[in-house]
Amino acid sequence: MQKNYAEKFEAKGILPGICAVDYIVAYYMKNGFHRTKTLGYGMTAATVEMR
């Protein structure tokens, strides 16, 4: 089984933080970026919307 980049570089622990930063930056910049699911929080897929 092929590893993804987070597994390859043993960095899975930072994924929730990356997803959280995306949300915070979008909120304060009011750029319309919105997520309902993230891989970093254990979902099977990520959803990204521009509103």
Side-chain angles (χ1 to χ4, degrees):
M1 183 166 154
Q2 185 177 5
K3 291 184 176 184
N4 63 31
Y5 282 108
E7 293 168 336
K8 180 178 177 180
F9 295 104
E10 299 178 0
K12 288 181 80 170
I14 67 168
L15 293 178
I18 292 170
C19 295
V21 169
D22 282 350
Y23 177 80
I24 292 166
V25 169
Y27 176 82
Y28 286 106
M29 292 182 69
K30 300 187 184 328
N31 63 6
F33 179 85
H34 180 75
R35 286 184 192 262
T36 55
K37 295 183 193 178
T38 65
L39 296 170
Y41 286 110
M43 303 293 180
T44 57
T47 58
V48 176
E49 299 174 14
M50 295 302 287
R51 295 181 178 178

